[in-house]
Amino acid sequence: MKVAVIGAGRVGLVSGLVFFELGHELTLFDLDPSRIAQLRAGEMPFFEPNAAAVLRTATQSDRWTVTDRADLIAECDVVVIAVPTPAGPDGQYDLGSLRDAASMLGRVRDNAAGGLRWRGVFLRSTVLPGTTQRILAGALASTSADGALPCPIGHLPEFLREGTALADARRPDRIVVGADHPDLQSLARALFDGLETTFFETGVRTAELIKTANNAMLSLCISFANEIARLAETIEGADAMEVFEGIHLDRRFQGASKAGIVDYLLPGPGFGGSCLGKDLTALAAFARQQHQETLLLDAALRINQTQPVRFVERIDRALGGLTGRRVLVLGLAFKPGTDDGRASITLPILHEVARRSAIVQVHDPLAAQCADRTVLTSLGVAVLPEDSFQEAFDAAEVVVLVTPWSYYLERLPDMLAKRSLPLLFADARGIFRAARRAASITYLSVGVRAAHEG
């Protein structure tokens, strides 16, 4: 089929690349001239493992077009909208880009001299229940008395994780199709034909709620694990990581894959990134509009907001104060495998450490891409060159591991074992609990009571 994807961001571009791999003719539409130029040159505008090779292949094919020409969309069989829906000031989604995309499609419909080929329009952006119908139907309905749509419209939520987005798109655990028309369900199956997966077909509003509820559930798991970790920190000899390793052995969790829910049911510094917190906040705001209490959602948000502060407070107490201390924070990206530093849990940690008058440096293997220099400069945080890890480690009095890049996991064991000068190693992920460490190392981890806290 001829497929148009509107929006060349992380979801739209990765989705488009996989549609291309499945044999479709792809028209990728975006309005950003610099992004269009990058993509036409075969250059990824962001880091996503293995995606660059697929883009280079696509760029050399006559089945791949990157354009800002809206009229080309009229010639496509399927339209997939994948524009961003960032957090708005009221906690709900900012739908400005979605409204613009819908209005553009309305103009394409009005100006299609040769007629429309559209068999269906899918919204892939994350939205709250009722948005697909309200925004798309309003923009695409004809001005005739019956208000007819040019084609069925539906919701096609994405479950792509940054850092593994291409792998997730190639091997999805399910395709949720929100469609109130049987032809649209068949069209979705044709769109993903060639993938081995489970299709879950439901109504449009249910599909919208599945996406936001899915992310809310993952957020709840993380916050629950961190609440238990806080309890474990008050109990001598308890280890929250081992608590959850034991819980994971419950046969009721055995169906979970290695990349399943058990990976979220672990303590740490809290969740970050551009999705979990945003979706949890938006769902809670929507529920309150429906006059529903959000006790669990609010608690998950509160735990997550206070978790990084609590961790820095423990570091502060261990040292008798952070004033003037040389602190090295490892990781700016909100998770390994991505250059996305938006809403990273590292940011509130940096804020708290800097607020306590420490001398703060931060390092990340992709620091050049994910560092928001303006924010970090305002905090007085120095962003280190990517090749300065060893030098910065040797000079630091405190090292805080936040983002568990393999870059760190491979190097830190030997560095900790050889360290001669005193060091507080604050392991927010609990990864190095059993690592061999020099006598000069004081170890602090989430979910474990430290010796000085006795």
Side-chain angles (χ1 to χ4, degrees):
M1 294 187 295
K2 298 184 71 172
V3 179
V5 174
I6 299 174
R10 294 177 182 271
V11 172
L13 177 53
V14 171
S15 297
L17 290 173
V18 172
F19 294 150
F20 169 80
E21 286 188 316
L22 291 173
H24 299 300
E25 183 177 337
L26 207 291
T27 298
L28 183 62
F29 177 90
D30 202 276
L31 292 175
D32 184 341
S34 61
R35 177 151 297 196
I36 291 171
Q38 275 185 297
L39 293 171
R40 285 176 174 172
E43 300 173 359
M44 286 290 294
F46 49 83
F47 179 75
E48 184 62 47
N50 304 314
V54 185
L55 177 61
R56 285 193 295 269
T57 300
T59 303
Q60 298 168 5
S61 171
D62 59 4
R63 290 191 294 108
W64 177 265
T65 301
V66 180
T67 186
D68 59 358
R69 286 182 51 192
D71 60 297
L72 296 182
I73 298 172
E75 303 170 6
C76 294
D77 302 296
V78 185
V79 179
V80 178
I81 303 173
V83 296
T85 51
D90 59 353
Q92 297 198 30
Y93 299 118
D94 180 345
L95 302 178
S97 294
L98 175 56
R99 290 192 176 94
D100 290 344
S103 297
M104 180 198 67
L105 289 181
R107 292 192 296 273
V108 170
R109 174 208 60 202
D110 294 339
N111 298 326
L116 292 173
R117 287 183 54 169
W118 299 348
R119 295 166 56 192
V121 174
F122 290 104
L123 177 59
R124 200 151 171 76
S125 307
T126 300
V127 294
L128 293 166
T131 306
T132 301
Q133 296 285 0
R134 186 176 72 253
I135 302 296
L136 291 188
L140 295 180
S142 70
T143 56
S144 61
D146 61 0
L149 292 170
C151 63
I153 58 176
H155 191 64
L156 198 63
E158 53 82 18
F159 302 95
L160 308 181
R161 300 164 297 166
E162 289 186 39
T164 59
L166 184 63
D168 292 342
R170 286 169 165 171
R171 294 181 294 278
D173 45 22
R174 81 283 205 196
I175 300 293
V176 174
V177 182
D180 298 323
H181 194 289
D183 289 349
L184 207 56
Q185 295 169 353
S186 301
L187 188 63
R189 288 179 176 269
L191 183 62
F192 292 99
D193 185 39
L195 298 181
E196 294 185 9
T197 188
T198 298
F199 281 85
F200 184 81
E201 296 170 347
T202 185
V204 173
R205 297 189 179 194
T206 300
E208 292 167 324
L209 187 55
I210 286 173
K211 168 61 180 183
T212 49
N214 192 101
N215 277 354
M217 181 63 187
L218 298 177
S219 305
L220 288 171
C221 287
I222 295 170
S223 288
F224 171 73
N226 282 331
E227 186 157 60
I228 297 302
R230 296 180 182 191
L231 176 61
E233 290 164 6
T234 70
I235 305 169
E236 185 176 354
D239 185 327
M241 285 291 181
E242 291 186 0
V243 168
F244 283 99
E245 287 172 12
I247 290 173
H248 294 171
L249 295 175
D250 187 311
R251 66 171 61 116
R252 286 163 290 192
F253 287 110
Q254 293 306 294
S257 67
K258 175 57 182 164
I261 199 169
V262 295
D263 288 346
Y264 291 82
L265 202 57
L266 286 172
F271 54 80
S274 61
C275 291
L276 293 190
K278 178 194 74 168
D279 293 348
L280 184 61
T281 301
L283 185 60
F286 175 75
R288 287 191 291 271
Q289 280 192 343
Q290 305 299 112
H291 307 293
Q292 294 296 311
E293 288 189 296
T294 56
L295 303 180
L296 269 176
L297 303 185
D298 294 343
L301 283 167
R302 178 61 180 160
I303 291 169
N304 201 63
Q305 289 164 353
T306 56
Q307 186 70 0
V309 177
R310 177 188 172 93
F311 191 55
V312 174
E313 287 174 346
R314 293 179 69 208
I315 296 171
D316 186 88
R317 287 196 300 270
L319 293 169
L322 276 166
T323 300
R325 300 282 191 172
R326 295 187 300 276
V327 179
L328 171 63
V329 177
L330 302 180
L332 267 172
F334 83 93
K335 63 182 289 189
T338 180
D339 59 355
D340 191 352
R342 293 174 297 171
S344 171
I345 203 66
T346 300
L347 295 176
I349 290 175
L350 289 172
H351 184 275
E352 279 300 309
V353 174
R355 191 176 67 83
R356 295 166 191 268
S357 301
I359 302 167
V360 191
Q361 296 179 314
V362 64
H363 180 275
D364 191 281
L366 295 178
Q369 292 97 312
C370 63
D372 186 327
R373 305 280 173 171
T374 302
V375 171
L376 297 178
T377 299
S378 70
L379 294 175
V381 174
V383 182
L384 298 174
E386 294 165 19
D387 59 358
S388 64
F389 175 46
Q390 179 71 60
E391 180 183 354
F393 178 89
D394 292 341
E397 297 173 84
V398 183
V399 172
V400 185
L401 174 65
V402 184
T403 311
W405 284 96
S406 59
Y407 181 93
Y408 301 135
L409 306 189
E410 293 165 1
R411 291 165 174 77
L412 280 172
D414 189 55
M415 295 167 70
L416 291 170
K418 293 180 177 179
R419 173 83 180 203
S420 58
L421 295 175
L423 174 71
L424 174 65
F425 180 59
D427 181 3
R429 302 290 176 174
I431 293 171
F432 292 96
R433 298 179 343 276
R436 183 172 64 90
R437 297 185 289 271
S440 60
I441 303 291
T442 299
Y443 181 74
L444 182 70
S445 177
V446 170
V448 179
R449 187 175 185 174
H452 71 274
E453 296 175 313

